[in-house]
């Protein structure tokens, strides 16, 4: 399953 | 008032060439320290981050921080009007610019273009400074070749690091394969392979993003892969004297 990048980096 | 002059305009063209398949509309941020860009790809699986330091420009002025929303596709159309050896100057007068001016200078001609800007309310992601447990430096054309070749066998590529080096592997319907790149300390820096492995990793990624991003190998003969288990991988192309272009790619997790 492909993870999304935003699940690792919080939006600032 | 913002002005940034690339001594080597071809470099700017290569940067745009490297990201044009990944990101559509981006906010170009300019401030006293330089120019930066951060944007997710359309599927939000990857993040492109560009950092160009003001010291790397032939001329650089930015009195007030600026955000310039632009379409990469339209930026490319303007850049296609420049030569690879041109000096390229980006300029805008206003504090809230609606257009970005471009000057292309070569020995025998000078061209002026204006690109219409747009307002993009894009979320900016906070990328934490991370100590990566595996950092591999290798020739960029070698990495490009491996991704392209293994990408023909399977759309997901595995990367395993160890003290001995880095192994790329694929397991597809047609079969499987692996490529182990050995460490070497050749005196030719562009051919060197170095691995710093505090903790080995074994991660899987969609290779299509590597193949899209690897156009950036025109920017640098070496590529740096930084990895930690279950974290996004970072592909970094150092832009000599100017900064770097990075791709953060989220891993594929086995269900």
């Amino acid at each position: 399953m492909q993870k999304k990048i935003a699940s690792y980096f919080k939006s600032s | 008032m913002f002005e940034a002059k690339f001594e080597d305009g071809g470099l700017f063209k290569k940067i745009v060439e490297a990201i044009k398949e990944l990101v559509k509309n981006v906010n170009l941020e300019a401030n006293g320290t330089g120019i930066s860009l951060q944007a997710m790809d359309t599927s939000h699986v990857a993040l492109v981050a560009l950092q160009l330091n003001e010291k790397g420009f032939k001329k650089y002025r930015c009195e007030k921080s600026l955000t310039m929303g632009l379409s990469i596709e339209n930026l490319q159309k303007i850049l296609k009007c420049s030569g690879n050896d041109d000096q390229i100057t980006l300029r805008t007068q206003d504090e809230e610019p609606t257009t970005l001016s471009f000057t292309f200078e070569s020995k025998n001609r000078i061209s002026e273009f204006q690109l219409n800007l747009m307002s993009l309310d894009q979320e900016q992601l906070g990328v934490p400074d991370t100590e990566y447990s595996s950092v591999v430096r290798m020739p960029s054309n070698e990495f490009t070749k491996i991704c392209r070749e293994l990408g023909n066998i399977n759309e997901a590529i595995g990367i395993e690091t160890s003290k001995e080096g880095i192994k790329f592997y694929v397991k597809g319907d047609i079969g499987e394969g692996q490529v182990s790149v050995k460490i070497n300390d050749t005196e030719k820096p562009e051919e060197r392979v170095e691995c710093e492995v505090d903790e080995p990793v074994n991660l899987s990624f969609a290779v299509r993003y590597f193949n899209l991003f690897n156009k950036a190998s025109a920017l640098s003969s070496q590529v740096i892969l930084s990895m930690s288990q279950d974290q996004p991988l970072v592909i970094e192309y150092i832009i000599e004297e100017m900064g770097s272009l990075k791709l953060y790619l989220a891993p594929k997790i086995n269900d």
Side-chain angles (χ1 to χ4, degrees):
Chain A
M1 183 261 288
Q2 177 62 63
K3 297 277 282 183
K4 297 286 185 189
I5 196 74
S7 64
Y8 294 92
F9 301 148
K10 287 173 220 20
S11 55
S12 52
Chain B
M1 165 65 182
F2 162 66
E3 183 178 26
K5 183 168 192 172
F6 286 89
E7 169 74 35
D8 170 7
L11 196 61
F12 185 51
K13 292 175 80 170
K14 283 176 191 159
I15 291 169
V16 174
E17 183 67 25
I19 66 175
K20 74 172 181 12
E21 315 263 343
L22 282 158
V23 291
K24 293 282 166 263
N25 299 324
V26 300
N27 272 325
L28 205 61
E29 312 279 346
N31 59 30
T33 59
I35 294 175
S36 63
L37 171 165
Q38 187 209 80
M40 283 191 275
D41 79 294
T42 39
S43 59
H44 289 197
V45 166
L47 181 73
V48 172
L50 169 72
Q51 185 68 41
L52 296 176
N53 191 294
E54 51 94 16
K55 292 183 186 59
F57 290 90
K58 186 176 171 74
K59 219 189 307 179
Y60 188 89
R61 267 175 68 200
C62 184
E63 280 140 18
K64 196 171 171 306
S65 296
L66 281 177
T67 298
M68 296 166 275
L70 46 88
S71 139
I72 289 290
E73 187 185 353
N74 296 343
L75 171 60
Q76 256 227 323
K77 289 174 185 162
I78 300 275
L79 290 178
K80 285 221 184 306
C81 304
S82 71
N84 288 332
D85 302 329
D86 286 359
Q87 292 186 342
I88 295 183
T89 304
L90 279 56
R91 180 184 296 112
T92 182
Q93 303 293 349
D94 324 326
E95 297 206 349
E96 313 255 326
T98 54
T99 61
L100 179 59
S101 302
F102 292 81
T103 306
F104 304 141
E105 287 172 82
S106 67
K107 307 192 277 308
N108 48 18
R109 72 176 187 171
I110 185 163
S111 324
E112 301 278 350
F113 290 86
Q114 304 248 329
L115 174 66
N116 294 331
L117 297 174
M118 45 181 142
S119 65
L120 301 167
D121 55 346
Q122 271 179 354
E123 68 170 317
Q124 290 288 305
L125 295 183
V127 179
D129 278 339
T130 310
E131 274 294 302
Y132 290 96
S133 72
S134 286
V135 179
V136 176
R137 176 187 278 268
M138 64 186 284
S140 54
N141 52 25
E142 176 74 20
F143 177 63
T144 300
K145 196 161 149 289
I146 290 169
C147 293
R148 196 176 42 239
E149 291 166 356
L150 295 187
N152 288 331
I153 297 171
N154 194 34
E155 52 91 27
I157 189 168
I159 300 182
E160 197 172 335
T161 60
S162 68
K163 301 281 181 213
E164 287 70 50
I166 183 168
K167 181 173 85 173
F168 301 91
Y169 63 90
V170 282
K171 287 190 176 66
D173 303 339
I174 69 164
E176 56 185 76
Q178 65 178 49
V179 176
S180 296
V181 180
K182 295 195 189 94
I183 295 168
N184 74 53
D185 54 359
T186 165
E187 64 285 346
K188 289 192 205 126
E190 69 278 2
E191 289 171 15
R192 199 167 296 158
V193 176
E194 293 166 356
C195 279
E196 281 160 50
V197 177
D198 300 336
E199 295 286 324
V201 299
N202 190 348
L203 295 163
S204 174
F205 298 97
V207 72
R208 64 182 287 275
Y209 292 94
F210 292 166
N211 289 332
L212 290 175
F213 191 66
N214 280 337
K215 287 202 177 68
S217 49
L219 289 169
S220 167
S221 61
Q222 289 259 301
V223 67
I224 302 169
L225 308 175
S226 301
M227 293 160 276
S228 287
Q229 197 55 35
D230 301 330
Q231 285 299 311
L233 149 142
V234 192
I235 304 182
E236 178 176 11
Y237 286 98
I238 306 277
I239 303 171
E240 209 61 47
E241 319 280 327
M242 286 203 90
S244 74
L245 180 61
K246 291 180 181 173
L247 176 83
Y248 295 85
L249 181 61
K252 290 172 79 78
I253 306 284
N254 299 328
D255 298 331

